[in-house]
Amino acid sequence: MSMAAMPPLILASASPRRQQLLARIGVTADAIVPADIDETPIKAELPRVYARRMAAQKAQVVASQHPDSAVLSGDTVVAVGRRILPKAESEAEARMCLELVSGRRHMVLSAVTLMLPDGRSLHRLSESAVIFKRLHADEVDAYIASGEWQGKAGGYAIQGSAEALIRSMAGSYSGIMGLPLYETRSMLVTAGLLSPAA
């Protein structure tokens, strides 16, 4: 695909973190168009399946509105076993999430979809394992008071003060933040939207 023929790139997310992460690989979306979809998990839906479905649906909704553009979308899911943790919207939800991940291993699944004007779609899934220290009540209280948990999957943001409470992680740091850069760059290069030398 020649540079002149490259379609506009739309990021189907209002997340400032995803925009910042894209900038790390030299990519700036031509437009930000958040996808308005129902993010309720289907009963008994597994976390990996849910993450992939959310990313794909976000891309499909925006691509249907902008058929001449390439659409990049992502979804990040925090899971304890088969349980999908919510994007915390209240202190009670955040507290519940932190109590569930305290002292135990959990998974962060970050799915990415790229839909192209020619009908092709590319999908990737990044899987990371994170272990928090066993959290004391005062540590949970302090983190709740910070407000960093608001709207975050699993009730925490690794790029904030929660990082100091994480004993170990294996996988993609950028994926835990919300957009796995290795997988995203690979898709953009494959699609001809980013030079391999970039």
Side-chain angles (χ1 to χ4, degrees):
M1 188 180 292
S2 72
M3 294 297 285
M6 280 186 14
L9 177 66
I10 294 176
L11 178 61
S13 171
S15 165
R17 290 182 311 286
R18 290 198 175 106
Q19 295 172 49
Q20 291 160 5
L21 286 165
L22 268 182
R24 290 187 186 179
I25 55 171
V27 175
T28 301
D30 295 292
I32 307 296
V33 183
D36 184 17
I37 64 168
D38 179 1
E39 298 193 28
T40 308
I42 297 167
K43 185 172 180 176
E45 189 170 25
L46 295 175
R48 288 174 184 83
V49 175
Y50 172 71
R52 288 190 187 103
R53 180 171 69 85
M54 287 295 97
Q57 281 189 4
K58 289 174 184 178
Q60 286 162 3
V61 165
V62 175
S64 70
Q65 301 162 349
H66 302 272
D68 297 326
S69 297
V71 177
L72 180 70
S73 66
D75 195 73
T76 301
V77 173
V78 174
V80 176
R82 297 163 65 99
R83 181 173 182 172
I84 297 168
L85 300 191
K87 289 182 171 71
E89 300 296 343
S90 68
E91 289 190 4
E93 272 190 331
R95 192 175 295 279
M96 177 270 290
C97 289
L98 291 170
E99 287 170 356
L100 278 171
V101 299
S102 172
R104 66 192 293 191
R105 177 179 180 271
H106 66 273
M107 297 300 294
V108 180
L109 309 165
S110 205
V112 190
T113 292
L114 177 64
M115 299 198 80
L116 301 166
D118 62 10
R120 286 182 297 156
S121 59
L122 303 172
H123 307 273
R124 299 284 187 276
L125 180 70
S126 162
E127 302 190 24
S128 303
V130 179
I131 303 176
F132 269 85
K133 72 182 289 292
R134 188 166 297 283
L135 300 173
H136 301 299
D138 57 348
E139 291 171 324
V140 173
D141 290 343
Y143 191 71
I144 297 291
S146 77
E148 288 181 1
W149 51 269
Q150 293 178 8
K152 303 296 192 300
Y156 73 91
I158 194 170
Q159 69 273 22
S161 59
E163 187 175 1
L165 303 174
I166 290 172
R167 205 172 78 218
S168 70
M169 59 155 284
S172 168
Y173 185 84
S174 58
I176 298 169
M177 278 182 68
L179 188 72
L181 291 182
Y182 175 81
E183 289 79 1
T184 300
R185 180 184 179 278
S186 171
M187 287 195 304
L188 291 169
V189 169
T190 298
L193 297 175
L194 184 64
S195 165

